[in-house]
Amino acid sequence: MTTLTTPRFEQRTEQPCMFIRTEVRMGEIESKVVPLIPQLFEWLQAHGVPPAGPLFFRYNVIDMGGQMEIDVGTLVGKPAAGDARVRSGTVPAGSYVTMRHTGHPEELMPATAYLLAWGQQHQVAWRKQARGGSAEAWDGRYEFYLDGPDTEPDMSKWRTDLVFAAEPR
């Protein structure tokens, strides 16, 4: 059974991260984005960079009918020099609206729709810009995966924090 916490504003501090960036269509996330997860963690292990937080997907550009730009990343205590494949960066400090989803990952799309509708009802100014057609470039739109198959075998119990950049109120 899916549960959602009440969305809330929070101030977050800057956090270093390492990530792999890719461009895919919406229907390709399972086949082209998810396989990047073990590649990222293999790279981190090979370079002696321990994760210091959860895995995340950062949706830089969202275009449900076209190309999307997505980062597969994790927080780290101290960033390493990246390379052509794995990049060093940050999750920027700032104001975000956060909501926790507990349930199967397939239910994240309706959870996201709920959060965006909540934002509209509460007149939230998301930090995003139009980018031609139906594409939107976000300053920070994250899914932080607090659970996975190594910590919780029952996918219906997985916790995911939706963290979207928004102007402070």
Side-chain angles (χ1 to χ4, degrees):
M1 176 178 183
T2 297
T3 59
L4 303 173
T5 60
T6 301
R8 63 183 172 82
F9 276 90
E10 73 176 25
Q11 288 295 317
R12 297 175 73 99
T13 59
E14 181 177 89
Q15 298 174 287
C17 67
M18 302 296 293
F19 63 93
I20 298 174
R21 179 165 290 163
T22 190
E23 291 187 11
V24 297
R25 298 182 83 68
M26 183 64 188
E28 299 173 324
I29 292 175
E30 184 75 29
S31 65
K32 293 187 177 178
V33 178
V34 171
L36 298 177
I37 297 168
Q39 293 177 31
L40 173 66
F41 286 99
E42 288 167 10
W43 187 96
L44 293 171
Q45 185 173 15
H47 291 83
V49 181
L55 167 74
F56 65 79
F57 286 0
R58 174 171 38 201
Y59 294 85
N60 298 309
V61 176
I62 297 176
D63 185 350
M64 299 303 273
Q67 286 292 109
M68 299 177 51
E69 182 183 280
I70 300 173
D71 295 340
V72 175
T74 190
L75 303 175
V76 294
K78 189 176 105 183
D83 58 25
R85 183 78 171 132
V86 177
R87 300 181 190 187
S88 175
T90 64
V91 173
S95 178
Y96 292 84
V97 172
T98 66
M99 180 183 79
R100 178 159 297 165
H101 166 268
T102 302
H104 197 287
E106 290 176 351
E107 299 160 351
L108 284 169
M109 191 175 289
T112 298
Y114 172 83
L115 179 58
L116 293 172
W118 179 92
Q120 187 172 17
Q121 290 171 352
H122 292 83
Q123 300 167 359
V124 172
W126 302 115
R127 292 196 332 251
K128 65 179 181 172
Q129 303 81 40
R131 188 189 252 185
S134 61
E136 297 174 335
W138 282 73
D139 291 344
R141 183 168 162 170
Y142 299 87
E143 294 174 354
F144 286 96
Y145 301 99
L146 307 179
D147 297 301
D150 53 335
T151 61
E152 174 55 65
D154 184 352
M155 293 174 81
S156 70
K157 295 180 181 177
W158 285 10
R159 298 167 302 143
T160 306
D161 284 347
L162 303 178
V163 180
F164 293 9
E167 295 301 325
R169 296 202 296 180

